[in-house]
């Protein structure tokens, strides 16, 4: 989905016609309504407007490895109460790196080691927010008779630590035997008789009043009619003085007792009442109303329960003005009542959610201002001030933005210089902006974003040189590719422009780049390819809007649909088979999108869609498709299979197996056997599992299915046979898979050739895969294992060009350099990739290289950073232990 801070608010569909281009104009060419000569490439070029990349409101330290290392060291040495805050910072680092899973793991670690109920509530809400869309998993687990209460509502009253209240007894010395042992309280027309000594023990004021030098101490009847308590409430107080238990009381009575306890300083009574009231919070409305009372009466348990209810409703509750007002108007004392010492955590969560909704709103700005007020440590200031600077920039409040960025930069957040440069550029001081960034580039280890930002304040060759350098240092940045493609398009070279944008789309499925490629296809009048990309966009983000948010992508898709060949169901399956066989994942997505628009069996299609999305590294979209598959399942046994995959994909392997077995018990089907085999193969460490997996896959192949899935099963079966050393059986499986055009089976067959000591045949087999697969970076990588070093280096260089995120080529090249005693070059090769990709294996190898060269501090730094990525990685733990013994 397009990030909300990348585009302006969508306007009416009709405004597209005033944007300088009418989609109907080029579509009508094909209909014969316009003369062909009326088409002008300039009409397409007018669409290609590359927006400047936003200054993102993320924590982006200059050296994330150093920061992760420091955090890991602090986590090893800190007190338990400091750990949640450190994990929060760690999660912010991972968020800045775009590492969603690692970020969630940090938040989970913070939740697990939370030292207060407030931290538990906040991090639990944060994790639920991060995992929104996965609520269905709880229902599916419930069907397995397993309750999923992870991050669920806490019983705040029982979780809040008990306080020790000493009952008042020192005033007994003033007690006279002539005074009655009971006291009766008059409350309007009723009376409550209490044990004088027990009521006096509730608080010093009561003790003084009933046993001290006051008139009431001699009275047997005391009038409390003006103290705002009812007869029923006073009876409950009397009972509490004897039993210290309030029993089951209605809300109104508890509220009276709370006020009464506060008035007479009855701490134990107040605490009991506070805990009872916490159980009455069952809705957002309750939470808002009772939070006001909690503030007024200083009731922290009730306040925490109200907070939990509000946070459970994120992000929706931030659309409620009353809720927002509550958070914004809370004073320091009220914040302490509501959230203890975790105010920074709370407003960090709230401001992040608000930014994701819309960074330009007043609510977002005010919540971020609160965060700034609460920032104490340098890191907190970097996070908070930079975030507020970005929000001010989005809101075009340039002077305020400049101030916030200056504070963040002064606190050590170098990335905030990008914000300062933007403000300078907007104010017409491009030379100053260029100078600011040049100073950062020359005074630190340069990073890709620095050159990208500097390119915004130059033109011509100098701009392109900076963009090329940005891509060299960080090939994952999308803007340089888009700018170069747009520049080539303006030079009337659409084919080269297409090649440029394909460089990025080959390894990173960015929606804005797909949108640009659509317009490049239109310039080439390749409507068939254009609609493929439209379908890919709509699969990933059904509500996506193009042309800077001015028109829905679905609208463009409808217009294009009239100008491409229509297929019936049989033709669609043939097209899907063709694209799947050629490893054309986007083409396959497009065919499935078309089929879903018809009356085809949607459950099966959504399931296939989820498989493709996983291959394209789009896990959230894949999860959505899998849920739709479950919803549209035609039969119970089919639904059980999809539930099994949902459970497997979220780490519930045992329950996934249970679903597969339930499905098989209803009907023996290919998908049920395949699911069971897949889960067992992935989770089983017992060698005996291999025989079971083989049997299950053979059972699957006996069941009806299409060639696409049977090819996958044959491929998987071949892999199990290889692991068992049954190479002839494996070769038969791979050959059978290739006969039904399961192209990836070339890789398995190559492995068999290699294990038979026939490297040449293995190389040839991988070459066939390279020739037939549209997405072939992994094929080049695998082929590199079957050739001589020179060809290996050539293949791995091709891999890096096709997909710079694949880490094996960097590791191999670094190892070759190390073997050649070129230690500095080897470390530099790894550092080149580490700069834009946080990867355990890269850090592990670099740590080993540093240890080899005697650079113990650097080795230790990389060990700690790597353990931040995977704290239980055994080899890293051993390396760290070894390096620690060498530290002076």
């Amino acid at each position: 989905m397009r990030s909300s801070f990348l585009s302006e608010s969508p306007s009416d569909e009709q405004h597209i016609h005033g944007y300088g281009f009418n989609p109907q104009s080029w579509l009508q060419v094909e209909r014969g309504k316009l003369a062909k000569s009326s088409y002008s490439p300039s009409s397409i070029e007018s669409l290609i407007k590359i927006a400047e990349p936003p200054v993102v409101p993320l924590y982006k330290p200059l050296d994330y490895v150093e920061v992760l290392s420091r955090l890991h060291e602090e986590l090893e040495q800190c007190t338990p109460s400091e750990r949640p805050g450190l994990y929060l910072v760690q999660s912010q680092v991972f968020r800045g790196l775009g590492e969603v899973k690692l970020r969630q793991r940090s938040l989970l670690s913070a939740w697990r080691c939370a030292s207060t109920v407030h931290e538990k509530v906040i991090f639990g809400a944060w994790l639920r927010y991060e995992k929104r869309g996965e609520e269905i998993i709880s229902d599916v687990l419930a069907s397995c008779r397993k309750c999923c209460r992870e991050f669920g509502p806490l019983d705040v009253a029982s979780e809040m630590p008990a306080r020790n209240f000493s009952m008042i007894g020192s005033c007994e010395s003033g007690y006279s035997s002539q005074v009655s042992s009971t006291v009766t309280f008059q409350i309007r027309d009723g009376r409550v008789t209490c044990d004088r000594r027990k009521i006096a023990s509730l608080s010093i004021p009561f003790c003084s009043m009933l046993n001290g030098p006051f008139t009431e101490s001699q009275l047997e009847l005391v009038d409390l009619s003006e103290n705002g308590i009812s007869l029923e409430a006073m009876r409950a107080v009397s009972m509490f003085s004897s039993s210290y238990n309030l029993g089951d009381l209605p809300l109104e009575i508890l509220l009276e007792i709370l006020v009464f306890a506060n008035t007479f300083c009855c701490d134990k009574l107040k605490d009991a009442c506070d805990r009872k009231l916490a159980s009455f919070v069952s809705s957002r409305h309750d939470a808002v109303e009772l939070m006001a009372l909690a503030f007024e009466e200083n009731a922290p348990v009730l306040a925490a329960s109200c907070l939990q209810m509000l946070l459970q409703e994120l992000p929706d509750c931030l659309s409620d003005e009353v809720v927002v007002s509550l958070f914004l108007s809370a004073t320091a004392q009220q914040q302490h009542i509501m959230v203890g010492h975790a105010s920074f955590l709370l407003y960090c969560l709230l401001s992040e959610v608000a930014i994701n909704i819309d960074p330009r709103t007043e609510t977002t700005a005010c919540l971020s201002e609160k965060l700034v007020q609460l920032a104490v440590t340098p890191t907190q200031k970097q996070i908070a001030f930079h975030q507020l600077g970005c929000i001010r920039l989005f809101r075009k409040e340039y002077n305020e933005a400049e101030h916030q960025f200056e504070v963040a930069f002064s606190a050590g957040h170098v990335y905030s210089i990008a914000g300062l440069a933007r403000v300078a550029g907007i104010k017409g001081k491009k030379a100053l902006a260029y100078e600011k960034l040049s100073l950062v580039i020359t005074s630190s280890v340069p990073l890709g974003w620095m050159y990208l930002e500097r390119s915004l304040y130059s033109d011509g060759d100098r701009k392109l040189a900076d963009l090329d350098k940005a891509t060299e240092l960080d090939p994952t940045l999308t803007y340089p590719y888009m700018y170069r493609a747009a520049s080539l398009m303006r030079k009337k070279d659409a084919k080269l422009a297409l090649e440029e944008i394909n460089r990025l789309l080959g390894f990173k499925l960015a929606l804005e780049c797909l949108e640009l490629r659509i317009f490049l296809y239109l310039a080439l009048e390749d409507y068939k390819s254009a609609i493929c990309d439209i379908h890919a966009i709509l699969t990933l983000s059904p509500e996506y809007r193009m042309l800077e948010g001015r028109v829905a992508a679905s609208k463009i898709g409808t217009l294009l649909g009239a100008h491409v060949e229509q297929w019936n169901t049989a033709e669609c399956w043939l097209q899907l088979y063709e694209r799947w066989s050629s490893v054309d994942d986007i083409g396959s997505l497009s065919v499935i999108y078309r089929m879903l628009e018809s009356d085809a069996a949607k459950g099966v299609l959504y399931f296939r869609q989820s498989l493709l999305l996983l291959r394209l590294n789009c896990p959230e979209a894949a999860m959505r498709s899998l849920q739709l598959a479950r919803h549209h399942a035609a039969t119970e046994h089919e639904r059980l299979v999809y539930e099994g995959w949902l459970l497997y994909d979220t780490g519930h392997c045992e329950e996934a197996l249970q679903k597969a077995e339930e499905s098989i018990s209803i009907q023996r089907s290919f998908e049920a056997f395949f699911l069971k085999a897949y889960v067992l193969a992935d989770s089983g460490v017992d060698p005996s599992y291999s025989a079971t997996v083989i049997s299950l896959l053979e059972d699957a192949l006996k069941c009806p299915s299409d060639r696409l899935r049977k090819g996958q099963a044959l491929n998987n079966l071949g892999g199990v046979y290889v692991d068992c050393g049954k190479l002839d059986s494996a070769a038969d499986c791979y050959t059978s898979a290739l006969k039904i055009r399961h192209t990836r089976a070339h890789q398995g067959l190559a492995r068999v050739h290699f294990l038979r000591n026939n490297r040449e045949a293995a190389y040839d087999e991988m070459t066939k895969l390279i020739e037939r697969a549209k997405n072939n970076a992994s094929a080049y990588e695998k082929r590199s294992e079957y050739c001589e070093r020179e060809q290996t280096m050539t293949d791995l260089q091709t891999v890096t060009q096709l997909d710079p995120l694949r880490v094996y080529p960097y590791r191999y090249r670094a190892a070759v350099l190390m073997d050649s005693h070129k230690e500095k070059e080897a470390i530099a090769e790894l550092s080149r990739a580490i700069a834009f990709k946080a990867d355990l294996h890269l850090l592990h190898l670099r740590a080993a290289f540093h240890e080899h060269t005697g650079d113990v501090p650097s080795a230790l730094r990389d060990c700690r950073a790597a353990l931040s990525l995977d704290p239980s990685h055994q080899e890293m733990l051993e390396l760290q232990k070894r390096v620690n013994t060498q530290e002076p």
Side-chain angles (χ1 to χ4, degrees):
M1 185 177 295
R2 170 171 284 191
S3 177
S4 56
F5 48 77
L6 285 178
S7 61
E8 300 294 335
S9 298
S11 56
D12 294 338
E13 297 283 341
Q14 62 188 12
H15 290 174
I16 185 176
H17 301 295
Y19 185 67
F21 180 73
N22 179 356
Q24 294 287 357
S25 65
W26 51 264
L27 291 175
Q28 288 170 348
V29 170
E30 293 241 326
R31 293 175 184 152
K33 295 180 181 178
L34 293 178
K36 188 71 174 180
S37 59
S38 67
Y39 167 76
S40 170
S42 62
S43 62
I44 297 292
E45 290 165 25
S46 68
L47 294 174
I48 302 175
K49 295 184 178 181
I50 309 303
E52 289 185 352
V55 180
V56 290
L58 303 175
Y59 177 49
K60 297 173 78 70
L62 196 61
D63 185 350
Y64 77 85
V65 174
E66 183 64 43
V67 173
L68 287 176
S69 173
R70 175 175 51 79
L71 287 169
H72 186 81
E73 184 178 15
E74 290 177 11
L75 283 164
E76 289 179 323
Q77 300 171 356
C78 70
T79 61
S81 63
E82 294 173 314
R83 294 175 72 84
L86 292 171
Y87 277 122
L88 172 67
V89 176
Q90 188 186 75
S91 77
Q92 293 291 324
V93 176
F94 289 137
R95 182 181 175 219
L97 291 168
E99 296 289 347
V100 176
K101 292 296 183 185
L102 292 176
R103 166 178 166 76
Q104 290 179 358
R105 201 203 58 219
S106 294
L107 291 173
L108 179 59
S109 297
W111 179 78
R112 284 175 173 161
C113 70
S115 57
T116 68
V117 171
H118 303 109
E119 290 173 350
K120 202 87 170 176
V121 165
I122 293 168
F123 284 117
W126 213 326
L127 283 160
R128 282 195 304 276
Y129 173 73
E130 286 282 317
K131 292 176 175 287
R132 61 196 183 282
E134 293 185 18
E135 294 86 353
I136 193 174
I137 302 302
S138 298
D139 297 335
V140 177
L141 281 172
S143 68
C144 298
R145 298 181 181 177
K146 179 176 180 180
C147 185
C148 180
R149 295 185 55 84
E150 198 170 42
F151 327 129
L154 297 174
D155 181 352
V156 173
S158 63
E159 292 279 344
M160 200 74 104
R163 297 166 61 189
N164 293 321
F165 300 100
S166 56
M167 303 309 290
I168 307 303
S170 58
C171 59
E172 290 184 5
S173 58
Y175 180 77
S176 171
S177 60
Q178 298 177 355
V179 179
S180 171
S181 63
T182 63
V183 60
T184 300
F185 294 103
Q186 177 85 36
I187 300 172
R188 289 176 288 280
D189 296 331
R191 295 183 177 185
V192 179
T193 300
C194 307
D195 185 304
R196 180 184 293 268
R197 183 175 297 173
K198 290 178 179 177
I199 287 290
S201 71
L202 290 177
S203 70
I204 291 175
F206 265 131
C207 182
S208 300
M209 181 177 75
L210 298 178
N211 293 327
F214 294 96
T215 304
E216 290 85 353
S217 65
Q218 304 301 314
L219 299 177
E220 293 184 15
L221 182 67
V222 178
D223 192 348
L224 289 182
S225 299
E226 303 302 319
N227 288 84
I229 191 167
S230 66
L231 200 63
E232 186 180 353
M234 194 62 213
R235 288 194 185 105
V237 172
S238 177
M239 290 290 293
F240 181 83
S241 70
S242 298
S243 64
Y244 303 131
N245 191 330
L246 281 172
D248 294 326
L249 296 171
L251 175 63
E252 295 75 14
I253 299 302
L254 287 170
L255 293 176
E256 286 183 34
I257 295 172
L258 180 66
V259 175
F260 178 84
N262 250 345
T263 302
F264 288 94
C265 304
C266 304
D267 292 338
K268 191 174 183 70
L269 175 62
K270 176 188 171 183
D271 181 69
C273 191
D274 189 9
R275 292 173 188 274
K276 280 283 184 182
L277 283 167
S279 65
F280 283 84
V281 184
S282 58
S283 68
R284 186 193 305 178
H285 180 264
D286 292 341
V288 171
E289 286 201 341
L290 291 174
M291 184 74 87
L293 180 80
F295 286 164
E296 186 176 343
E297 300 299 332
N298 189 11
V301 184
L302 175 59
S305 184
C306 293
L307 176 65
Q308 177 172 246
M309 176 56 65
L310 295 175
L311 295 184
Q312 276 184 312
E313 296 198 8
L314 287 174
D316 295 344
C317 72
L318 290 187
S319 300
D320 187 326
E321 292 182 3
V322 179
V323 174
V324 171
S325 175
L326 186 154
F327 286 128
L328 293 180
S329 62
T331 64
Q333 181 182 359
Q334 290 171 338
Q335 288 172 30
H336 188 267
I337 294 169
M338 175 172 60
V339 75
H341 296 289
S343 290
F344 185 85
L345 300 182
L346 172 62
Y347 286 93
C348 195
L349 167 60
L350 294 175
S351 59
E352 179 182 316
V353 174
I355 287 171
N356 291 340
I357 296 170
D358 186 350
R360 298 179 177 85
T361 64
E362 188 67 21
T363 295
T364 304
C366 292
L367 286 170
S368 291
E369 283 178 352
K370 276 278 192 183
L371 187 67
V372 161
Q373 294 164 13
L374 294 163
V376 176
T377 68
T379 301
Q380 289 177 345
K381 288 179 179 179
Q382 290 179 42
I383 293 168
F385 279 95
H386 176 76
Q387 178 177 286
L388 183 55
C390 290
I391 291 165
R392 295 299 184 198
L393 186 60
F394 297 144
R395 290 164 58 87
K396 301 181 180 179
E397 297 166 355
Y398 300 125
N399 290 334
E400 294 89 338
E402 185 174 28
H403 171 68
Q404 308 302 334
F405 285 133
E406 282 175 348
V407 176
F409 184 74
S410 299
H413 194 242
V414 177
Y415 177 63
S416 295
I417 198 68
L420 288 171
R422 290 294 176 92
V423 174
I426 289 167
K427 292 181 176 180
K429 301 175 182 177
K430 289 181 67 174
L432 177 61
Y434 189 91
E435 182 182 335
K436 284 178 180 289
L437 288 157
S438 296
L439 186 61
V440 167
I441 288 170
T442 56
S443 61
S444 61
V445 176
L447 297 171
W449 66 260
M450 298 176 185
Y451 285 95
L452 184 156
E453 292 293 331
R454 192 172 72 170
S455 75
L456 302 177
Y457 312 108
S458 58
D459 300 297
D461 291 342
R462 191 163 68 166
K463 184 183 189 78
L464 288 171
D466 272 354
L467 289 173
D468 288 344
K469 187 66 175 177
T471 299
E472 177 189 329
L473 293 173
D474 186 352
T476 67
L477 296 170
T478 60
Y479 177 78
Y481 299 92
M482 295 178 71
Y483 182 88
R484 287 189 293 260
S487 297
L488 289 164
M489 188 61 204
R490 282 189 286 271
K491 295 175 182 177
K492 307 295 188 291
D493 201 335
K495 289 185 178 180
L496 278 180
L498 195 58
E499 287 178 13
E500 179 62 30
I501 204 65
N502 283 342
R503 286 176 59 199
L504 180 78
L505 287 169
F507 66 91
K508 183 178 180 180
L509 204 58
L511 296 185
E512 62 271 25
C513 294
L514 280 171
E515 180 179 349
L516 175 58
R517 189 166 74 174
I518 288 166
F519 296 126
L520 297 178
Y521 281 135
L522 295 182
L524 293 167
E525 300 184 36
D526 185 355
Y527 304 144
K528 183 179 175 182
S529 296
I531 203 166
C532 271
D533 282 353
I534 286 279
H535 291 160
I537 285 176
L538 291 171
T539 300
L540 292 166
S541 179
E543 304 302 319
Y544 188 83
R545 300 182 70 85
M546 299 171 65
L547 301 172
E548 296 184 322
R550 286 171 170 80
V551 63
S554 57
K555 179 72 173 178
I556 301 291
T558 301
L559 294 172
L560 275 171
H563 298 272
V564 295
E565 182 184 356
Q566 302 301 306
W567 301 319
N568 60 33
T569 302
E571 289 171 330
C572 281
W573 277 107
L574 286 172
Q575 291 291 335
L576 180 60
Y577 182 56
E578 179 65 32
R579 284 160 174 72
W580 202 289
S581 297
S582 61
V583 198
D584 177 5
D585 294 334
I586 290 180
S588 299
L589 278 180
S590 178
V591 177
I592 288 176
Y593 188 90
R594 286 201 198 192
M595 295 171 78
L596 284 167
E597 293 181 316
S598 69
D599 294 328
K602 287 185 168 52
V604 173
L605 292 172
Y606 278 121
F607 176 60
R608 300 296 172 84
Q609 190 181 75
S610 74
L611 298 175
L612 287 166
L613 290 167
L614 283 175
R615 279 212 311 240
L616 289 165
N617 195 28
C618 302
E620 290 181 8
M623 176 66 71
R624 185 172 64 243
S625 295
L626 200 47
Q627 291 179 15
L628 287 168
R630 175 183 182 258
H631 178 73
H632 289 282
T635 62
E636 184 182 357
H637 69 84
E638 183 185 341
R639 176 182 57 79
L640 288 167
V641 168
Y642 302 147
E643 288 182 351
W645 284 113
L646 281 167
L647 291 167
Y648 173 77
D649 288 344
T650 51
H652 301 282
C653 293
E654 186 178 332
E655 291 76 20
L657 281 173
Q658 183 179 331
K659 290 291 181 182
E661 288 162 358
E662 285 182 47
S663 181
I664 292 168
S665 70
I666 297 171
Q667 180 169 322
R668 294 167 62 88
S669 69
F670 174 91
E671 292 298 350
F673 282 119
F674 187 89
L675 168 62
K676 186 174 180 180
Y678 195 94
V679 176
L680 278 176
D682 190 49
S683 59
V685 292
D686 189 335
S688 64
Y689 276 19
S690 296
T692 305
V693 171
I694 289 171
S695 175
L696 288 167
L697 288 172
E698 288 174 342
D699 285 339
L701 289 165
K702 293 173 187 174
C703 297
S705 186
D706 59 75
R707 289 181 295 177
L708 295 176
R709 294 299 284 156
K710 290 210 168 185
Q712 183 65 62
L714 286 165
N715 194 60
N716 288 17
L717 183 56
V720 180
Y721 278 133
V722 168
D723 292 340
C724 296
K726 299 179 180 179
L727 299 185
D728 290 342
S729 297
D732 290 342
C733 286
Y734 292 130
T735 302
S736 297
L738 287 171
K739 285 178 181 177
I740 54 176
R741 298 183 63 190
H742 186 78
T743 310
R744 284 187 170 84
H746 283 295
Q747 182 169 319
L749 193 54
R751 186 182 175 199
V752 171
H753 290 315
F754 178 73
L755 292 173
R756 287 171 169 170
N757 296 317
N758 191 345
R759 293 182 65 179
E760 185 177 348
Y763 180 90
D764 291 341
E765 203 65 45
M766 290 309 302
T767 301
K768 293 175 186 176
L769 177 56
I770 288 169
E771 292 168 349
R772 295 175 187 177
K774 186 167 183 178
N775 303 316
N776 55 19
S778 63
Y780 275 106
E781 182 173 295
K782 196 65 182 175
R783 190 178 73 170
S784 71
E785 299 178 20
Y786 307 134
C787 48
E788 300 301 325
R789 175 173 288 189
E790 185 176 343
Q791 182 60 46
T792 294
M793 296 293 277
T794 300
D795 275 359
L796 292 179
Q797 191 57 43
T798 302
V799 173
T800 299
Q801 290 170 359
L802 293 173
D803 184 355
L805 293 176
R806 301 186 76 89
V807 300
Y808 174 73
Y810 301 99
R811 294 167 60 208
Y812 183 89
R813 288 190 291 264
V816 170
L817 288 166
M818 203 67 179
D819 287 344
S820 303
H821 305 291
K822 297 179 179 179
E823 290 87 353
K824 288 183 179 179
E825 292 87 343
I827 290 170
E829 177 67 21
L830 295 172
S831 300
R832 180 162 72 100
I834 289 169
F836 60 84
K837 183 173 176 62
D839 181 81
L840 174 74
H841 302 292
L842 292 172
L843 286 166
H844 185 188
L845 189 57
R846 193 172 73 170
F849 286 0
H850 282 309
E851 182 197 26
H852 178 75
T853 60
D855 187 350
V856 173
S858 295
L860 200 53
R861 176 204 62 202
D862 285 353
C863 284
R864 288 168 175 157
L867 288 170
S868 297
L869 306 182
D870 183 357
S872 59
H873 192 272
Q874 195 57 43
E875 290 183 17
M876 281 308 315
L877 289 168
E878 291 172 2
L879 179 57
Q880 183 192 34
K881 184 178 180 180
R882 190 168 69 242
V883 172
N884 267 325
T885 62
Q886 302 172 35
E887 192 177 23

PDB file of all heavy atoms in Angstrom, residues 376-383 411-412:
ATOM      1  N   VAL A 376      13.938  12.270  27.116  1.00  0.00           N
ATOM      2  CA  VAL A 376      14.950  12.624  28.116  1.00  0.00           C
ATOM      3  C   VAL A 376      16.349  12.255  27.636  1.00  0.00           C
ATOM      4  O   VAL A 376      17.258  13.082  27.618  1.00  0.00           O
ATOM      5  CB  VAL A 376      14.649  11.922  29.460  1.00  0.00           C
ATOM      6  CG1 VAL A 376      15.755  12.218  30.475  1.00  0.00           C
ATOM      7  CG2 VAL A 376      13.292  12.362  30.000  1.00  0.00           C
ATOM      8  N   THR A 377      16.541  11.007  27.219  1.00  0.00           N
ATOM      9  CA  THR A 377      17.867  10.551  26.803  1.00  0.00           C
ATOM     10  C   THR A 377      18.177  11.071  25.394  1.00  0.00           C
ATOM     11  O   THR A 377      17.266  11.433  24.642  1.00  0.00           O
ATOM     12  CB  THR A 377      17.925   9.013  26.788  1.00  0.00           C
ATOM     13  OG1 THR A 377      17.081   8.532  25.726  1.00  0.00           O
ATOM     14  CG2 THR A 377      17.456   8.436  28.111  1.00  0.00           C
ATOM     15  N   PRO A 378      19.457  11.101  25.023  1.00  0.00           N
ATOM     16  CA  PRO A 378      19.809  11.553  23.658  1.00  0.00           C
ATOM     17  C   PRO A 378      19.110  10.738  22.565  1.00  0.00           C
ATOM     18  O   PRO A 378      18.661  11.306  21.570  1.00  0.00           O
ATOM     19  CB  PRO A 378      21.334  11.356  23.616  1.00  0.00           C
ATOM     20  CG  PRO A 378      21.771  11.476  25.044  1.00  0.00           C
ATOM     21  CD  PRO A 378      20.658  10.876  25.852  1.00  0.00           C
ATOM     22  N   THR A 379      19.004   9.431  22.760  1.00  0.00           N
ATOM     23  CA  THR A 379      18.345   8.600  21.744  1.00  0.00           C
ATOM     24  C   THR A 379      16.862   8.939  21.650  1.00  0.00           C
ATOM     25  O   THR A 379      16.307   9.037  20.552  1.00  0.00           O
ATOM     26  CB  THR A 379      18.516   7.106  22.069  1.00  0.00           C
ATOM     27  OG1 THR A 379      19.913   6.799  22.127  1.00  0.00           O
ATOM     28  CG2 THR A 379      17.859   6.241  21.010  1.00  0.00           C
ATOM     29  N   GLN A 380      16.209   9.115  22.797  1.00  0.00           N
ATOM     30  CA  GLN A 380      14.804   9.509  22.783  1.00  0.00           C
ATOM     31  C   GLN A 380      14.623  10.839  22.067  1.00  0.00           C
ATOM     32  O   GLN A 380      13.663  11.024  21.305  1.00  0.00           O
ATOM     33  CB  GLN A 380      14.261   9.591  24.212  1.00  0.00           C
ATOM     34  CG  GLN A 380      14.083   8.249  24.894  1.00  0.00           C
ATOM     35  CD  GLN A 380      13.606   8.381  26.324  1.00  0.00           C
ATOM     36  OE1 GLN A 380      13.667   9.463  26.924  1.00  0.00           O
ATOM     37  NE2 GLN A 380      13.135   7.285  26.902  1.00  0.00           N
ATOM     38  N   LYS A 381      15.530  11.754  22.272  1.00  0.00           N
ATOM     39  CA  LYS A 381      15.443  13.064  21.614  1.00  0.00           C
ATOM     40  C   LYS A 381      15.643  12.925  20.107  1.00  0.00           C
ATOM     41  O   LYS A 381      14.963  13.588  19.320  1.00  0.00           O
ATOM     42  CB  LYS A 381      16.467  14.023  22.209  1.00  0.00           C
ATOM     43  CG  LYS A 381      16.113  14.477  23.621  1.00  0.00           C
ATOM     44  CD  LYS A 381      17.159  15.424  24.195  1.00  0.00           C
ATOM     45  CE  LYS A 381      16.762  15.875  25.599  1.00  0.00           C
ATOM     46  NZ  LYS A 381      17.761  16.778  26.193  1.00  0.00           N
ATOM     47  N   GLN A 382      16.569  12.075  19.703  1.00  0.00           N
ATOM     48  CA  GLN A 382      16.766  11.849  18.267  1.00  0.00           C
ATOM     49  C   GLN A 382      15.476  11.326  17.626  1.00  0.00           C
ATOM     50  O   GLN A 382      15.051  11.815  16.575  1.00  0.00           O
ATOM     51  CB  GLN A 382      17.893  10.841  18.048  1.00  0.00           C
ATOM     52  CG  GLN A 382      19.283  11.351  18.388  1.00  0.00           C
ATOM     53  CD  GLN A 382      20.346  10.287  18.178  1.00  0.00           C
ATOM     54  OE1 GLN A 382      20.320   9.565  17.195  1.00  0.00           O
ATOM     55  NE2 GLN A 382      21.273  10.165  19.112  1.00  0.00           N
ATOM     56  N   ILE A 383      14.874  10.345  18.268  1.00  0.00           N
ATOM     57  CA  ILE A 383      13.650   9.736  17.728  1.00  0.00           C
ATOM     58  C   ILE A 383      12.521  10.753  17.687  1.00  0.00           C
ATOM     59  O   ILE A 383      11.858  10.939  16.658  1.00  0.00           O
ATOM     60  CB  ILE A 383      13.249   8.513  18.570  1.00  0.00           C
ATOM     61  CG1 ILE A 383      14.283   7.390  18.420  1.00  0.00           C
ATOM     62  CG2 ILE A 383      11.856   8.014  18.189  1.00  0.00           C
ATOM     63  CD1 ILE A 383      14.123   6.252  19.426  1.00  0.00           C
ATOM     64  N   ALA A 411      21.458  16.294  18.589  1.00  0.00           N
ATOM     65  CA  ALA A 411      21.449  15.166  19.523  1.00  0.00           C
ATOM     66  C   ALA A 411      22.177  13.949  18.959  1.00  0.00           C
ATOM     67  O   ALA A 411      22.373  12.965  19.667  1.00  0.00           O
ATOM     68  CB  ALA A 411      20.015  14.794  19.891  1.00  0.00           C
ATOM     69  N   GLY A 412      22.557  14.015  17.660  1.00  0.00           N
ATOM     70  CA  GLY A 412      23.334  12.935  17.065  1.00  0.00           C
ATOM     71  C   GLY A 412      22.656  12.177  15.951  1.00  0.00           C
ATOM     72  O   GLY A 412      23.212  11.199  15.438  1.00  0.00           O
TER      73      GLY A 412
END
